[in-house]
Amino acid sequence: MKGLSGSGKSTLACSLGRELHSRGKLSYILDGDNLRHGLNKDLGFKAKDRIENICRVGEVAKLFADAGLIYVASLISPYRKDRDACRVMLPDDNFIEVFMNMPLELCEKRYAKGLYRLARSGKIKGFTGIDDPYEPPLNCEIEI
Ligand SMILES: Nc1ncnc2c1ncn2[C@@H]1O[C@H](COP(=O)(O)OS(=O)(=O)O)[C@@H](OP(=O)(O)O)[C@H]1O
Ligand SMILES: Nc1ncnc2c1ncn2[C@@H]1O[C@H](COP(=O)(O)OP(=O)(O)O)[C@@H](O)[C@H]1O
């Protein structure tokens, strides 16, 4: 799942995880926001750190896929180049890119964490969708 904050990535990832569980499939959700508390806690939001973040999640996803698990990666993943690098890293039938194509205004309205407000007022710099870019995918399998 890729998309702006508030686009519904985590919500959909959780629903999918529950559905897979109910069908007896072993799955794991790799949520960007959560991984940033552990595996990726040394990373910030400058382009270089986001690239490293996405690369690491791609590597973990590869391990999960090798172990026969279904992974659901839920990250903003704003740069096309890094998403495409993950696509190359993972076998074709293991990679379904889902783009949560929600208008920024709707994301901003739904987002409960208050970060858009801080970004709008300049208290947070480099917030995706406000003063950091989001490059929409050109070749995703699913667009919502
Ligand atoms: N500057 C800036 N830009 C974007 N997002 C920010 C920023 N600072 C903190 N946050 C919080 O981090 C969450 C996104 O982390 P990700 O790992 O998915 O981002 S990325 O893929 O590396 O771009 C994101 O949460 P969700 O999008 O709701 O998961 C934000 O809560
Ligand atoms: N399909 C939907 N319709 C209405 N509200 C939604 C939908 N999906 C998510 N939400 C709500 O929008 C907010 C942001 O969703 P979330 O999954 O946390 O987004 P993200 O992980 O992309 O930041 C949450 O309050 C969530 O309950």
Side-chain angles (χ1 to χ4, degrees), residues 21-50:
H21 179 75
S22 76
R23 294 186 192 192
K25 306 280 184 194
L26 213 49
S27 71
Y28 195 85
I29 297 169
L30 298 165
D31 187 280
D33 207 17
N34 291 341
L35 292 172
R36 279 172 173 278
H37 295 290
L39 177 71
N40 294 335
K41 69 172 171 224
D42 57 320
L43 302 176
F45 290 91
K46 297 240 182 327
K48 188 167 149 281
D49 282 1
R50 292 191 200 243

Side-chain angles (χ1 to χ4, degrees), residues 4-6 9-10 31-33 36 45 50 53-54 74-78 111 113 115 124-128:
L4 293 170
S5 291
K9 302 182 293 294
S10 304
D31 187 280
D33 207 17
R36 279 172 173 278
F45 290 91
R50 292 191 200 243
N53 183 41
I54 287 142
S74 155
L75 295 100
I76 297 179
S77 200
Y111 199 60
K113 295 183 207 163
L115 295 180
I124 293 181
K125 300 277 182 225
F127 197 77
T128 308

Side-chain angles (χ1 to χ4, degrees), residues 2-13 31 33 74-76 100 102 106-107 109-113 116 144:
K2 340 265 163 204
L4 293 170
S5 291
S7 60
K9 302 182 293 294
S10 304
T11 305
L12 189 56
D31 187 280
D33 207 17
S74 155
L75 295 100
I76 297 179
M100 307 297 289
M102 302 294 158
L106 189 64
C107 294
K109 211 161 96 186
R110 284 183 183 165
Y111 199 60
K113 295 183 207 163
Y116 279 109
I144 294 178

Side-chain angles (χ1 to χ4, degrees), residues 120-141:
R120 287 279 185 203
S121 65
K123 290 191 181 120
I124 293 181
K125 300 277 182 225
F127 197 77
T128 308
I130 305 296
D131 56 351
D132 217 57
Y134 193 90
E135 300 170 359
L138 304 171
N139 53 353
C140 60
E141 279 73 17

